[in-house]
């Protein structure tokens, strides 16, 4: 996989207006958009992959490569790019807070003449200037998990709200007496963090037996999550569980729970399905994660952008799969190869 990290900031003023087609689109909510198709329907509804023009170059703009999820997404891009003999450059900002660095990468790819872009913005707005320019030049651009740009013309990813819903339903089924729970959020202002949190809180509050005593952002940071969780546990010694917006933070929460010797009382769920989360589940520490299968998501996203670059018309949203992973099913998912995993998820 091409792994380049750019940290040089380029101060470029990009202030182009939307094209008429872009302006006609309503703000995107990828969870509820009706113009959608499921990942397993791409070939059955759209036909086989069209002929890809020789020399096609795809640019992948990621949030960061310090998080395994985003490295795995790039692996998925490369799998499909290699299959169709397409060049892909996968680049990322220095960290998940380097919004200008990420914008600079996108701007540079546009000036370097990439045929299409796959972009995963750090916030819902930080890449908007570059993507407007790309689409004004006829460059296909696809928003791929997990922040969602409201003006995005195409999006590939899972239903973010469902991540939180699945975890809330686990608590409802496995902790029938209810109790105090808490949420450790991602970065404020990011669509995925908002939707995941709302999915959890709305579902668990509707049950009537649970009390969400805290919902605090930790900015995708494991260290911040540890500190946040430590404070929550000190204030709520009778807490029964956490829902955490990603796995890196969830592993920080697990450390806080272990430090308080509360492993047998406090359940911890993350989101993403990184390998360290699987290891922690197998070790009996992390209770579970909602895996959104980043390699497969990357493969689907690359197929979508290649179809678009070849002139195909696609729905605005292509949804990808997710599954709640716990000790009961962790071996099924962790031991499945790519082909077996696709069959499991297609059911």
């Amino acid at each position: 996989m091409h792994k380049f990290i750019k940290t040089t900031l380029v101060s470029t003023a990009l202030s182009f207006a939307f094209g008429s087609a872009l302006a006609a689109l309503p703000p995107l909510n990828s969870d509820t958009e009706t113009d959608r198709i499921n990942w397993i329907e791409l070939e059955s509804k759209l036909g086989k992959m069209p002929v890809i023009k020789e020399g096609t170059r795809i640019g992948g703009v990621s949030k960061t490569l310090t998080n395994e999820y985003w490295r795995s997404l790039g692996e998925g891009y490369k799998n499909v790019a290699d299959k169709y003999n397409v060049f892909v450059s996968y680049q990322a900002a220095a960290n998940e807070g380097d919004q200008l660095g990420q914008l600079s990468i996108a701007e540079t790819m546009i000036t370097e003449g990439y045929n299409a872009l796959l972009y995963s913005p750090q916030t819902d707005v930080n890449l908007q200037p570059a993507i407007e320019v790309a689409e004004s030049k006829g460059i296909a651009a696809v928003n791929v998990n997990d922040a969602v740009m409201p003006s995005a013309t195409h999006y590939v990813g899972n239903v973010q709200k469902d991540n939180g819903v699945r975890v809330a339903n686990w608590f409802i089924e496995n902790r029938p007496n209810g109790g105090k729970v808490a949420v450790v959020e991602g970065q404020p202002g990011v669509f995925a963090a908002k939707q995941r949190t709302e999915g959890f809180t709305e579902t668990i509050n509707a049950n009537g037996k649970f009390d969400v005593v805290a919902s605090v952002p930790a900015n995708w940071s494991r260290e911040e999550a540890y500190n946040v969780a430590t404070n929550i546990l000190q204030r709520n010694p009778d807490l029964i569980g956490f829902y955490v917006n990603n796995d890196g933070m969830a592993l920080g929460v697990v450390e806080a729970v272990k430090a308080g010797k509360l492993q047998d009382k406090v359940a911890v769920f993350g989101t993403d399905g990184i390998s360290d989360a699987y290891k922690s589940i197998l070790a009996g520490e992390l209770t579970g994660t909602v895996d959104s299968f980043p390699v497969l998501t990357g493969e689907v996203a690359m197929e979508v952008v290649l179809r678009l670059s070849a002139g195909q018309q696609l729905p605005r949203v292509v949804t990808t799969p997710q599954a709640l992973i716990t000790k009961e099913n962790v071996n099924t998912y962790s031991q499945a190869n790519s082909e077996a995993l696709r069959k499991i998820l297609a059911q």
Side-chain angles (χ1 to χ4, degrees):
M1 176 176 63
H2 299 275
K3 296 181 180 178
F4 305 97
I5 300 180
K6 277 195 170 184
T7 56
T8 303
L9 302 182
V10 178
S11 178
T12 306
L14 295 175
S15 55
F16 289 77
F18 286 108
S20 57
L22 185 58
L25 290 172
L28 177 63
N29 181 321
S30 60
D31 281 2
T32 59
E33 172 62 49
T34 57
D35 182 21
R36 64 198 301 118
I37 190 174
N38 192 285
W39 68 281
I40 60 174
E41 301 175 303
L42 282 171
E43 186 168 318
S44 63
K45 291 192 173 181
L46 300 173
K48 293 187 178 299
M49 181 75 77
V51 175
I52 306 302
K53 183 180 178 181
E54 186 175 351
T56 294
R57 300 167 71 237
I58 307 298
V61 184
S62 188
K63 292 174 69 172
T64 179
L65 296 181
T66 61
N67 184 325
E68 181 191 324
Y69 179 91
W70 300 108
R71 297 196 299 272
S72 298
L73 189 78
E75 181 183 336
Y77 290 170
K78 191 171 187 299
N79 289 346
V80 174
D82 288 349
K83 179 179 178 180
Y84 294 101
N85 195 29
V86 168
F87 174 79
V88 59
S89 175
Y90 189 53
Q91 302 181 30
N95 56 64
E96 293 199 51
D98 186 12
Q99 297 178 33
L100 290 177
Q102 192 189 38
L103 177 60
S104 172
I105 291 168
E107 293 171 346
T108 300
M109 285 183 168
I110 294 167
T111 62
E112 290 178 347
Y114 283 82
N115 302 97
L117 296 178
L118 294 163
Y119 64 96
S120 299
Q122 293 194 348
T123 74
D124 296 351
V125 297
N126 75 295
L127 292 185
Q128 183 165 319
I131 302 307
E132 289 181 14
V133 172
E135 295 188 326
S136 74
K137 294 177 177 292
I139 299 172
V142 177
N143 190 157
V144 187
N145 259 353
D146 52 22
V148 178
M149 203 169 78
S151 59
T153 55
H154 290 94
Y155 174 86
V156 173
N158 63 319
V159 178
Q160 297 296 342
K161 200 166 189 176
D162 193 45
N163 289 296
V165 170
R166 288 171 186 253
V167 175
N169 284 333
W170 183 93
F171 276 101
I172 291 168
E173 294 168 10
N174 292 275
R175 300 292 186 269
N177 294 326
K180 294 181 180 180
V181 293
V183 181
V184 178
E185 305 170 17
Q187 184 175 349
V190 173
F191 177 84
K194 174 179 177 291
Q195 293 296 100
R196 292 171 186 177
T197 298
E198 285 186 0
F200 178 80
T201 56
E202 290 174 1
T203 304
I204 209 158
N205 283 337
N207 176 261
K209 295 182 179 180
F210 294 85
D211 182 13
V212 181
V213 296
S215 187
V216 184
N219 299 297
W220 311 122
S221 165
R222 182 169 178 162
E223 181 180 0
E224 286 189 42
Y226 173 86
N227 292 332
V228 164
T230 299
N231 289 333
I232 292 172
L233 289 167
Q234 288 173 348
R235 295 177 182 179
N236 301 277
D238 52 347
L239 195 83
I240 67 166
F242 286 93
Y243 171 52
V244 190
N245 281 181
N246 83 352
D247 284 338
M249 294 190 300
L251 294 173
V253 173
V254 166
E255 292 171 6
V257 170
K258 289 170 65 178
K261 302 186 186 309
L262 296 168
Q263 300 97 306
D264 295 334
K265 297 180 180 180
V266 181
V268 182
F269 281 87
T271 314
D272 284 345
I274 65 173
S275 62
D276 281 348
Y278 272 77
K279 291 174 185 176
S280 187
I281 294 169
L282 288 165
E285 297 178 342
L286 184 66
T287 312
T289 181
V290 184
D291 195 342
S292 53
F293 307 102
V295 174
L296 176 58
T297 299
E299 291 172 349
V300 172
M302 180 59 75
E303 179 179 345
V304 167
V305 84
L306 289 177
R307 286 178 179 272
L308 288 170
S309 66
Q312 275 197 343
Q313 299 295 314
L314 274 78
R316 195 174 185 188
V317 171
V318 178
T319 57
T320 54
Q322 62 222 92
L324 183 69
I325 310 300
T326 64
K327 63 182 180 181
E328 284 76 22
N329 64 358
V330 64
N331 287 319
T332 298
Y333 285 93
S334 64
Q335 295 175 10
N337 60 29
S338 178
E339 183 178 350
L341 184 62
R342 280 178 171 264
K343 289 181 180 178
I344 293 170
L345 296 171
Q347 294 176 356

